[in-house]
Amino acid sequence: MKRFIKTFLLLILTAGVMHAQNQDAYLIPRQIFVGDPAMLVLPLPATAQNDDDIIYNHPPEPNIDFHRIILERRTTGSRLMVEFTAFMPGTLELPVIEIGGEYFSGLTVTVNSLIDSRTAPALSGAASVLAMPGTALMLYGSMVIIVFIIFSALWFIFRGRALLRLLLEKWRRYRLFTSMRNTEKRLLEDLSKETDKRIILDILSDEFREFLSKLTGKNCRSLTSREFMYVFEQQEDSAFLEKFFGSCDGFRFSGEDINTQDIINLLDDLRSFLDAKEEKQSEFQF
């Protein structure tokens, strides 16, 4: 019975002393939040001699997870260090700690919460607009490009196909005229090399007829010179073509020697015809 009373009085005295000493305890860091690892340091009186540190692993509590409890005994001043992590906000009282034959009770810590419990939970406001230089230019520039692409696609659907066909037709005529001009230059070079004049006239007649067939979409390959008068609508063009092919066929089938100047004149007439038609190729109709 006396032993039980002594033990009870010892616990009461110890608890009273440690509660008073808790006023000197401090936290590292000074302010902690739920889930933060922290350390409670309690300064203690110096001892008569230095002893080895005592490390105690306290079992976890429902709201506190203890990592390590260290008791330092030094002649310059002792310390009790409690490493822990709290999972509940508010003022928490640590359980009685027994280490190195000493009892520590009445230790309390204040744990803060990131959520203000005094007000009802609410969603935060919208984030502020980015203040990076060039952000507005990039944003509005992208919008303008997207709108331009959409309108371009709509325009191409309703108007672009006709324009594309027109461009392709102009490109086809350009290649056709270029090919005929190259033929005219090549025949002029062959004439200067004293190539057979009838062969030159044959090539000139065939290539020019092929050119007219592709240009007008009509078969001009087997027409006689006189038939050109009844095929084409423009009288001026029909008269030129009748005269041109009449002269060309006359030189080819006459059986007489062909004068070089006559072929040069035919090539000059061809060049003038091409120049006139190429300038008005958008209006060129036979």
Side-chain angles (χ1 to χ4, degrees):
M1 186 64 179
K2 292 181 179 180
R3 186 177 183 181
F4 176 76
I5 293 174
K6 289 181 180 180
T7 303
F8 180 73
L9 291 175
L10 179 62
L11 288 175
I12 293 176
L13 291 174
T14 303
V17 172
M18 299 316 299
H19 179 71
Q21 290 178 339
N22 187 52
Q23 303 299 324
D24 299 327
Y26 57 91
L27 281 171
I28 302 176
R30 293 290 185 182
Q31 187 178 30
I32 62 173
F33 295 88
V34 173
D36 290 345
M39 177 187 294
L40 177 66
V41 180
L42 177 64
L44 299 174
T47 57
Q49 61 180 9
N50 293 329
D51 294 329
D52 294 335
D53 295 345
I54 301 175
I55 300 176
Y56 171 62
N57 294 321
H58 194 285
E61 297 289 328
N63 298 320
I64 300 178
D65 185 9
F66 292 96
H67 306 305
R68 288 190 311 172
I69 299 177
I70 305 172
L71 178 60
E72 290 183 351
R73 289 174 173 173
R74 301 288 187 272
T75 56
T76 56
S78 301
R79 293 188 304 174
L80 175 69
M81 296 178 290
V82 182
E83 299 177 2
F84 68 95
T85 300
F87 301 102
M88 182 177 180
T91 301
L92 303 180
E93 183 176 355
L94 304 185
V96 177
I97 298 174
E98 179 184 359
I99 182 171
E102 299 185 34
Y103 294 87
F104 301 90
S105 64
L107 300 175
T108 59
V109 294
T110 301
V111 182
N112 300 285
S113 174
L114 293 175
I115 301 175
D116 189 358
S117 59
R118 295 172 296 178
T119 59
L123 294 176
S124 60
S128 59
V129 179
L130 292 177
M132 294 177 59
T135 302
L137 179 61
M138 180 181 66
L139 177 62
Y140 293 113
S142 301
M143 293 176 62
V144 170
I145 293 174
I146 293 173
V147 172
F148 176 76
I149 292 174
I150 293 175
F151 276 101
S152 298
L154 293 175
W155 179 86
F156 181 79
I157 292 174
F158 294 105
R159 298 292 300 276
R161 295 180 181 179
L163 179 60
L164 182 61
R165 285 195 296 268
L166 179 60
L167 292 176
L168 290 176
E169 178 62 20
K170 287 187 176 183
W171 173 248
R172 185 188 69 83
R173 291 196 174 197
Y174 169 78
R175 294 180 58 190
L176 187 62
F177 276 91
T178 301
S179 176
M180 195 62 212
R181 287 186 183 279
N182 292 335
T183 300
E184 179 264 330
K185 293 178 181 178
R186 187 179 73 252
L187 293 178
L188 190 59
E189 292 176 357
D190 292 342
L191 187 62
S192 64
K193 296 177 183 178
E194 298 184 356
T195 306
D196 190 341
K197 296 180 178 62
R198 282 188 169 79
I199 294 177
I200 293 176
L201 289 175
D202 290 341
I203 295 174
L204 176 60
S205 178
D206 294 340
E207 292 292 334
F208 195 23
R209 290 173 184 272
E210 183 70 21
F211 167 80
L212 293 173
S213 298
K214 292 181 179 179
L215 184 64
T216 62
K218 299 178 181 180
N219 187 7
C220 302
R221 299 174 183 86
S222 58
L223 295 181
T224 64
S225 58
R226 185 173 295 276
E227 287 175 334
F228 280 98
M229 290 293 296
Y230 307 101
V231 172
F232 299 102
E233 297 177 357
Q234 294 184 6
Q235 186 65 29
E236 182 181 354
D237 295 330
S238 299
F240 167 81
L241 295 175
E242 180 190 14
K243 180 181 178 181
F244 181 90
F245 285 107
S247 300
C248 184
D249 293 342
F251 295 141
R252 292 169 62 196
F253 304 116
S254 64
E256 301 177 357
D257 290 338
I258 303 172
N259 192 336
T260 301
Q261 187 60 43
D262 292 335
I263 298 179
I264 293 176
N265 292 336
L266 286 175
L267 293 175
D268 289 340
D269 293 340
L270 172 63
R271 190 182 311 111
S272 299
F273 178 83
L274 294 176
D275 290 340
K277 292 306 174 186
E278 193 171 18
E279 289 179 1
K280 301 179 180 180
Q281 60 176 313
S282 60
E283 303 174 0
F284 186 34
Q285 296 179 355
F286 285 87

